[in-house]
Structure formats: C-alpha cells, structure tokens
C-alpha cells in the first residue's frame, strides 16, 4: 500500500492544462455582491427553517433515546423470562425428585337403605 | 460586522460588536449561546469554502447554492452538538458535503430518465478555447460522481486526501485512488484536444 501511495503522490498524473481548465470551470463567482446576496439568502433560509418542524430531524433526535429505552425493556423482559424459565425448571426438577404418594385407602360401604330395598324386592319376587 | 442585508435570526441574544477582536472559536461559542450576529459572521467567513465543497459534488451552480443553504441550515440546527474543541470549518464542510450528496441522490431519483447532456459550468473564461471547454464538460459528465468530486476538491480547491475522505465519508486511500483514476480518465478523454 505504501508503495502504491508513493507511486501516486499528489502531483503524479495531473495534466497542468486540464487542471487549469478545471480551475477556470469551477472558479467561484468573484463578485462580492454575489457573496453578500448568498449570505442574505442563507440567513433568510435559516430564519424560515428555524421554526419549521422537520419531522425527520425530530425523529432522528428521538432515535437514540428510543433505542436505549427499547434495549432496556428488551433486557428486562429477557431477564424476567429467564427467571421464569428457571423457576419452572426448578419446580419440575423438584417434582421429579419427590416420591409419588402411595395409593390412598379406599373405603367401601354399602348403603343400608339400598341393601334393604334390594332384599325386599328379592323377597317379593321369591314369595309365592 | 454589520448584517444590514441579512434578516434577523429567530432569537435574541447579546451581540458581539466587533468581529476583528474575536477568534473563530469565540464566534462559535457565541453562536451556540444564540448570538445571531456571531452565526452571520460564521456564514460570511465560511460560505465561499462551503460553496466550493458543494460545487465539487453537485452538477450545477444552482444546486451548489441550494446545498450551501441547506447545509448551513443543518449546521445551525446542529450547533448545540458541535464540540468547540474541533475545527468548525471541517465540521461545517462535512455537513455541506452531506447536504450536497443528499441533493445529488435526490436528483438521481427524480431525474432517473433524464440524463444531463452536459455539465453546467456557469462561469466561462472567454480566453479558453470553446473546444477544450466543451470537451471538458463532456468528460466531467462521464466521470463517476465521486471521482469528479475528488478531482475538483483536490486539484481545484486544494483539499488533502484526508479532508476529502472525511467530507465524502470514504477512506483516505479511496480518495487517493479516485483522484488517480479521475486524472487518468480526463487525460484519456481529452488527449486529442490537448494534442491540438
């Protein structure tokens, strides 16, 4: 790269006649009146534009704080989700380690009224 | 530093009464505090250079004027973000260059169907041959935008590669390379008219 830069120093390859023609072509207006007029137009433009709300500029102004706020919200949401995930994992793990409760004793009983009713029906049927 | 011809800016503030007693930094600080005459003085000091920067980037004198006005408006709005320990001119030139590049982009979108026949060069030197002037105009139109801007900024305005890179948002080496290619292209395109 350094060799390249050395080969192409500021004056290499410049054609003096073309450079002169360029300078004439791009010469700034020499008249002081022109510059006074341009200055007045610049200041006039600023006076007009200073109060005009440029929405893109406004958006641009709010862009950075908005991005920071969005990043903070995303970070907080991420942390909350991660904590929730951790709690769920811990609960599931503990549930797995806890032995399942043994079968509960089942008590069966025959309703006396029902039994009596069935016997009564049976007796009725069997009675000649 | 009278500004009789200039309209009053939309703020009132203490004024600086004599430009000769103050440095540019003083004007910048005063303008940041809302001194309208200080900003007018900055405009007066920098408008020629700003015009040169814009003129190197856009195709016409009228567009250069638009870019300069737009650039100064942006600078005025961004003045509170300017750090007074850096050179005001370099900061302003970057803003002007951005305004000019933005104008070129908008023109390209708008005039996509209408290719310019030639580059408008409004200030003619009567002593220059019509043929060279015409051919130079055509050749400049043929150059890529960035190469044209780089060669004008360097060979006409005397900016360094680093300054050009900062203004156009390209590395210094790219500015150097663009200059080399632009010179070679102009030399090639104007070879016959030069030999005449």
């Amino acid at each position: 790269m350094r060799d390249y830069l050395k080969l192409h120093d500021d004056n290499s390859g410049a054609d003096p006649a073309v450079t002169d023609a360029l300078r004439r072509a791009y010469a700034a207006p020499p008249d002081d009146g022109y510059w006074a007029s341009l200055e007045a137009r610049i200041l006039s433009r600023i006076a007009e534009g200073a109060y005009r709300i440029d929405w893109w500029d406004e958006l641009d102004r709010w862009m950075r704080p908005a991005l920071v706020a969005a990043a903070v919200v995303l970070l907080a949401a991420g942390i909350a989700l991660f904590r929730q995930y951790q709690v769920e994992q811990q609960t599931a793990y503990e549930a797995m380690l806890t032995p399942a409760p043994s079968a509960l004793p089942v008590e069966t009983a025959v309703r006396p009224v029902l039994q009596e009713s069935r016997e009564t029906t049976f007796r009725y049927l069997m009675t000649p | 530093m009278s500004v009789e011809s200039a309209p009053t800016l939309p703020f009132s503030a203490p004024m600086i009464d004599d430009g000769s007693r103050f440095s540019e930094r003083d004007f910048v600080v005063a303008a940041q505090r809302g001194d309208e005459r200080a900003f007018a003085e900055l405009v007066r000091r920098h408008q020629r250079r700003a015009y040169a920067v814009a003129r190197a980037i856009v195709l016409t004198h009228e567009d250069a004027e638009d870019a300069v006005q737009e650039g100064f408006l942006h600078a005025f709005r961004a003045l509170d973000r300017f750090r007074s320990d850096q050179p005001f001119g370099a900061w302003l030139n970057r803003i002007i260059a951005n305004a000019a590049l933005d104008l070129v982009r908008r023109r390209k979108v708008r005039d996509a169907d209408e290719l310019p026949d030639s580059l408008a060069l409004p200030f003619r030197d009567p002593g220059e041959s019509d043929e060279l002037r015409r051919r130079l105009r055509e050749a400049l139109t043929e150059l890529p935008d960035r190469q044209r801007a780089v060669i004008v900024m360097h060979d006409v305005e005397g900016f360094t590669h680093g300054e050009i890179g900062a203004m156009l948002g390209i590395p210094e080496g790219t500015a150097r390379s663009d200059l080399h290619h632009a010179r070679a292209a102009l030399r090639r395109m104007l070879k016959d008219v030069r030999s005449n």
Side-chain angles (χ1 to χ4, degrees), chain A residues 24-30 34, chain B residues 51 55 61 121-125 133:
Chain A
R24 282 194 293 272
Y26 279 90
Y34 169 80
Chain B
Y51 171 86
R55 186 69 186 86
H61 166 71
L121 301 176
F123 303 108
R124 292 185 170 184
D125 177 359
R133 194 166 55 229

Side-chain angles (χ1 to χ4, degrees), chain B residues 53-177:
Chain B
V53 169
R55 186 69 186 86
I57 295 169
V58 300
L59 280 175
T60 66
H61 166 71
E62 289 74 20
D63 279 356
E65 287 187 330
D66 277 353
V68 168
Q69 292 176 43
E70 195 67 22
F72 270 109
L73 178 58
H74 286 313
F76 175 74
R77 286 175 169 168
L79 209 51
D80 57 338
R81 280 175 269 165
F82 171 71
R83 296 196 325 271
S84 56
D85 57 336
Q86 60 179 320
F88 180 76
W91 178 77
L92 177 68
N93 285 343
R94 273 199 300 277
I95 293 177
I96 298 286
N98 280 334
L101 289 168
D102 191 43
L103 194 66
V104 169
R105 277 192 288 269
R106 277 187 276 139
R107 286 269 185 276
K108 272 190 176 169
V109 171
R110 205 177 66 185
D111 306 334
D113 302 332
E114 304 167 18
L115 290 173
D117 293 333
S118 64
L119 192 70
L121 301 176
F123 303 108
R124 292 185 170 184
D125 177 359
E128 191 178 13
S129 85
D130 282 346
E131 177 65 4
L132 177 58
R133 194 166 55 229
R134 186 181 64 77
R135 292 290 301 279
L136 177 63
R137 230 169 25 218
E138 289 170 0
L140 287 168
T141 313
E142 294 285 316
L143 282 183
D145 291 340
R146 202 178 69 199
Q147 286 185 18
R148 189 182 61 245
V150 169
I151 195 172
V152 174
M153 283 179 169
H154 188 278
D155 286 357
V156 177
E157 303 302 336
F159 286 110
T160 65
H161 298 110
E163 288 169 335
I164 294 169
M167 281 187 278
L168 298 181
I170 55 175
E172 185 178 335
T174 307
R176 198 179 292 271
S177 165

